[in-house]
Amino acid sequence: MLLAVGVGAAAGLGAIAFRWLIGAFTRLLSGFPDYAAVGHAANPHVPWLGRYFVLLAPVVAGLVYGPLVHRFAREARGHGVPEVMYAVARRGGRIAPQVAVVKALASALCIGGGGSVGREGPIVQIGSALGSTAGRLTRADETGTKVLVACGAAGGIAATFNAPLAGVFFAMELILRDFAAESFGLVVLSSVTASVIGRAALGDTPFLRLPAFHVEHLSQYLLFALLGVVAGAVGVAFSRILYLVEDACDFLWRGPEWLRPAIGGLALGGLLLLLPQMYGVGYPVLENAVGGRYAVGFLVLLLAAKIAATSLTIGIGGSGGVFAPSLFMGAMLGAAFGQSAHALVPGAAGQVGAYGLIGMGAVFAGAARAPITAVIILFELTGEYSIILPLMTAIVLATLVGRLLSHDTVYTLKLRRRGVDLEEPDPHGLLRGVRAGAVMEAAPEPLDLHTGLTKAADALADAPRGALPVVDRDGGYLGVVAAATVAEVLTAEDAPTLAQAVRRPAAVTPDTPVAEVIGSLVDAGGEGLPVLDQGGEKVVGWITDRTVLAALHHRPGPPPR
């Protein structure tokens, strides 16, 4: 608990420093607090360049952060979250301590120099590096280090966006990918601590200032649902285009990697010269779109341009997140959708801005497939509760569409391209080719369904795994009964029977790959699982974690760790 609080405090201070760096570099390289809001204005530091300074701003920034990243922390390149997910899933939460400093400087320079990326990826990586360093210094075990990494990620999100709940769910849903009660409590402590520190320095107001919205007609839910479907497809399209552009940049670039951001910055500068609204994160442009200040054609142009600008920024080796760009895209899509709906059905469409707000969460959900985080973070970023039901409707549909169209998210796709599958239960291939039939042991004597509970309890007490298969009078498989379940039935039911204690776990046959059974074995604890014949009617064996480990120890090569 003390470590979680300490990591939260460090992440909060890191977020404050990071936001200050972004502001300082933006003013230095553009002359304004947020150049996206001022159009084609000249930089007051170099007025003789006029608006053409945007051609050089990304180049100058790239000349600084390119060598910095290449020399000290190459994992600081890109949008950051996939690297943290990989560290938690495959490296025991180990992140190099210098990543926090390098990522802060590189991302602040990239955003300040016009890079069209967000700050959630960098702050997640910064906070996670702080948490990992705390785990290393205190010699925490692997599980503890992973939790501290999640604490740092949550604290960074909470402080930089003034969103403590969003920080918690971002860390649990995307980083830990688990909602265990113990880790949840520690992540909450870290997020609250960081949020308190962030609010003390940055103020206690919603991150985005948007007008109040409400649902005027129930028929609007159909429009919100349709927007969710479209937004899910846009989120997936953004993910695909992002990595297509990165591949194109990899193919075209033949020079040293440290010079790539500077040379690629010329292309980014050309885009900024045409559309200065793409400079940096672009929150003022987002607020204008939700406020109904742009025409439909211009909104669609901004949507396409943001996809291109963000993809190009990441492709040339820039450093920054993709969460804020997905919010921007969602706002443009939603506002354009709302204006179109208002023109077609003016009496039922309602307020145009509501669609922009809902589109923000839906595009992120389609790209990242993190519906809980999307709902919570949109609520906290805007402070607008009245639209929570349509927001949930659109986000769930966007998530489903994203799952239908793509196996990967905008975060996991980067890892899969490196050959890493976070869903793979056997990442090192130790169980490749091993079938359940090769590692099963003899099945225990089954219980008849009509056996009395007292007799069944005696049989379970003698069972080596505390569980037995249950069959009908003809020997047909019905399920499994465990000693703990029998005890619960005996105390909870007035007229308990063995049938009330039977459960049917996931079916396993001798030909089932053991790698596919690992998750079910974990859920079964030490009880194990029955192995059924191909028809699923007879029990032919029993498989447990011990039989799997024993088989691995007898395979050629080093024993599993």
Side-chain angles (χ1 to χ4, degrees):
M1 290 174 64
L2 291 175
L3 280 173
V5 171
V7 169
L13 294 173
I16 295 169
F18 180 54
R19 286 187 60 172
W20 180 85
L21 282 172
I22 292 175
F25 286 131
T26 301
R27 288 183 176 88
L28 176 66
L29 294 170
S30 75
F32 295 91
D34 196 326
Y35 186 75
V38 297
H40 292 282
N43 186 337
H45 302 315
V46 284
W48 47 275
L49 282 175
R51 64 176 184 171
Y52 293 97
F53 83 93
V54 294
L55 290 171
L56 299 178
V59 176
V60 173
L63 283 173
V64 180
Y65 74 76
L68 181 69
V69 169
H70 186 74
R71 174 66 178 85
F72 295 104
R74 297 188 184 184
E75 59 266 50
R77 174 184 168 182
H79 47 105
V81 175
E83 283 74 16
V84 177
M85 295 169 69
Y86 177 75
V88 169
R90 297 288 186 265
R91 301 185 60 202
R94 297 188 302 275
I95 302 174
Q98 68 267 25
V99 169
V101 176
V102 174
K103 188 69 175 182
L105 290 172
S107 297
L109 278 163
C110 182
I111 296 171
S116 193
V117 284
R119 57 197 188 203
E120 100 293 337
I123 198 58
V124 164
Q125 201 168 10
I126 292 166
S128 296
L130 294 172
S132 179
T133 301
R136 183 181 294 106
L137 293 176
T138 57
R139 300 182 184 275
D141 60 14
E142 183 173 306
T143 301
T145 302
K146 290 180 179 179
V147 173
L148 289 175
V149 168
C151 288
I157 290 285
T160 197
F161 290 115
N162 189 18
L165 278 175
V168 170
F169 284 99
F170 189 99
M172 302 299 291
E173 193 172 23
L174 290 172
I175 305 301
L176 280 183
R177 302 159 68 87
D178 181 29
F179 284 88
E182 182 179 355
S183 54
F184 183 82
L186 296 175
V187 171
V188 167
L189 278 177
S190 177
S191 183
V192 169
T193 303
S195 187
V196 168
I197 291 174
R199 290 183 180 188
L202 304 171
D204 184 12
T205 56
F207 185 71
L208 295 175
R209 293 178 176 85
L210 302 173
F213 302 119
H214 61 277
V215 179
E216 299 176 358
H217 303 282
L218 290 178
S219 59
Q220 287 180 245
Y221 279 93
L222 294 175
L223 293 172
F224 293 138
L226 179 57
L227 174 58
V229 171
V230 176
V234 170
V236 173
F238 166 55
S239 303
R240 299 288 177 84
I241 294 171
L242 174 69
Y243 294 110
L244 284 174
V245 172
E246 189 171 13
D247 286 342
C249 292
D250 290 340
F251 176 78
L252 293 172
W253 180 249
R254 293 293 181 267
E257 281 301 310
W258 62 267
L259 190 59
R260 178 168 163 171
I263 301 302
L266 287 171
L268 178 61
L271 179 57
L272 297 176
L273 184 63
L274 296 174
L275 279 173
Q277 292 85 357
M278 297 298 105
Y279 197 106
V281 182
Y283 284 121
V285 181
L286 184 154
E287 292 181 357
N288 288 338
V290 176
R293 299 184 181 92
Y294 299 139
V296 173
F298 190 59
L299 289 168
V300 174
L301 175 63
L302 291 176
L303 169 62
K306 194 65 173 182
I307 294 175
T310 301
S311 302
L312 183 58
T313 303
I314 298 294
I316 64 174
S319 179
V322 296
F323 165 69
S326 69
L327 293 187
F328 187 103
M329 297 167 202
M332 302 307 121
L333 173 68
F337 184 95
Q339 289 191 33
S340 301
H342 198 272
L344 293 173
V345 283
Q351 296 168 286
V352 171
Y355 295 90
L357 176 57
I358 290 173
M360 290 163 61
V363 169
F364 172 68
R369 289 214 298 272
I372 300 174
T373 301
V375 171
I376 297 296
I377 207 164
L378 258 293
F379 166 61
E380 284 199 299
L381 289 185
T382 62
E384 184 57 55
Y385 182 78
S386 62
I387 207 164
I388 195 76
L389 292 180
L391 182 65
M392 292 169 65
T393 301
I395 282 175
V396 167
L397 288 172
T399 303
L400 293 174
V401 170
R403 185 176 297 277
L404 286 172
L405 296 178
S406 175
H407 177 75
D408 290 292
T409 71
V410 68
Y411 298 127
T412 61
L413 185 56
K414 182 174 183 178
L415 297 176
R416 185 177 292 277
R417 286 155 50 87
R418 299 178 186 169
V420 178
D421 183 1
L422 297 182
E423 303 293 339
E424 172 59 56
D426 180 32
H428 302 295
L430 296 174
L431 299 173
R432 188 174 294 120
V434 181
R435 306 286 176 174
V439 298
M440 69 182 186
E441 59 185 15
E445 188 68 25
L447 287 173
D448 187 276
L449 181 64
H450 301 287
T451 303
L453 274 180
T454 302
K455 186 177 179 180
D458 292 338
L460 287 165
D462 296 332
R465 309 295 182 198
L468 292 171
V470 179
V471 297
D472 58 22
R473 294 191 186 278
D474 298 325
Y477 172 73
L478 297 174
V480 175
V481 65
T485 310
V486 169
E488 292 176 2
V489 170
L490 282 170
T491 58
E493 301 291 340
D494 294 332
T497 64
L498 184 62
Q500 294 167 320
V502 175
R503 61 181 176 84
R504 194 175 179 100
V508 179
T509 69
D511 292 332
T512 303
V514 173
E516 297 179 7
V517 185
I518 295 297
S520 298
L521 281 175
V522 171
D523 294 338
E527 298 172 1
L529 299 168
V531 180
L532 311 178
D533 61 12
Q534 294 298 337
E537 297 178 355
K538 302 290 183 181
V539 180
V540 296
W542 201 265
I543 183 173
T544 69
D545 51 357
R546 294 182 183 180
T547 63
V548 172
L549 288 173
L552 287 176
H553 276 285
H554 288 89
R555 295 192 78 190
R561 294 177 60 185

